[in-house]
Amino acid sequence: MMVKKSQNKSVLFLDFDGVLRTGNSPYRDEFGSLFDPASVHELQRIIESVNPMIVISSSWKMLGLGVLREMWRERGLPGRIFGITPSDASNEMMMRGEMPDPKLKGAEIQQWLDEHPEYTHYAILDDEDVAQDNMQRSHLVQTNPSIGISSQITDAILVLLMN
């Protein structure tokens, strides 16, 4: 089932580490470690099936939206980055060398959703439990960080974004 871009009101909140980047890849470019090809292939399946808006919820968002979009283009990754989740609190913690609580990511996702109520379907793709509550948990699909996006993960994401 292909969704036309004009009808698309779905959002994929995307983490990188443990989702697209698995293990310690010896291959790098100017942006950092390269993403796992099998996970990128599964992301391509999601994009081809639903064409969701990609919103980056990863700590990589500290690079800035422009740099992330440049990385996406340079690496030939599927889809287009629409935006990033708000990150004032998590950025401050990371600047102090602290790792933010995963639930803070859930709060940032909720803030983004509150600011964009036109997006009616969403999925959160992360290797950690970032959900703030049961509603978010019903939209969360967790990866095994050593595997990333498997075909079963893709299928679960598609169910959330198509229904």
Side-chain angles (χ1 to χ4, degrees):
M1 170 182 191
M2 192 63 104
V3 176
K4 294 179 182 173
K5 287 183 183 183
S6 62
Q7 296 173 330
N8 182 14
K9 293 294 181 190
S10 63
V11 177
L12 177 63
F13 292 98
L14 185 62
D15 183 33
F16 291 168
D17 296 326
V19 176
L20 289 176
R21 189 179 77 84
T22 58
N24 291 318
S25 171
Y27 304 106
R28 303 179 62 78
D29 62 11
E30 68 266 29
F31 304 104
S33 295
L34 295 181
F35 297 152
D36 178 71
S39 291
V40 171
H41 172 76
E42 291 301 324
L43 178 62
Q44 179 71 40
R45 278 187 53 215
I46 295 167
I47 300 302
E48 288 175 355
S49 297
V50 186
N51 193 31
M53 297 292 183
I54 298 172
V55 175
I56 304 303
S57 56
S58 171
S59 61
W60 286 47
K61 65 188 173 181
M62 283 187 65
L63 296 173
L65 184 56
V67 171
L68 290 172
R69 284 179 172 161
E70 180 184 346
M71 176 190 74
W72 217 254
R73 196 172 40 256
E74 290 290 320
R75 290 183 176 185
L77 297 168
R80 178 179 138 342
I81 296 176
F82 179 72
I84 57 177
T85 55
S87 56
D88 293 338
S90 59
N91 283 355
E92 286 177 25
M93 291 182 79
M94 291 181 77
M95 296 290 268
R96 292 191 307 259
E98 302 171 16
M99 285 306 298
D101 183 312
K103 300 298 186 231
L104 185 55
K105 192 183 285 187
E108 293 168 350
I109 289 169
Q110 190 57 55
Q111 182 180 344
W112 192 96
L113 287 168
D114 292 346
E115 292 171 1
H116 300 86
E118 67 275 21
Y119 292 93
T120 55
H121 292 79
Y122 71 97
I124 303 168
L125 185 53
D126 207 297
D127 65 317
E128 297 181 291
D129 180 359
V130 299
Q132 282 191 293
D133 55 30
N134 287 335
M135 175 58 96
Q136 272 192 356
R137 191 160 287 104
S138 69
H139 293 267
L140 173 66
V141 179
Q142 270 185 267
T143 63
N144 175 328
S146 63
I147 297 171
I149 309 173
S150 65
S151 61
Q152 294 83 4
I153 295 290
T154 297
D155 293 345
I157 292 289
L158 292 177
V159 166
L160 286 171
L161 296 179
M162 289 180 166
N163 294 321

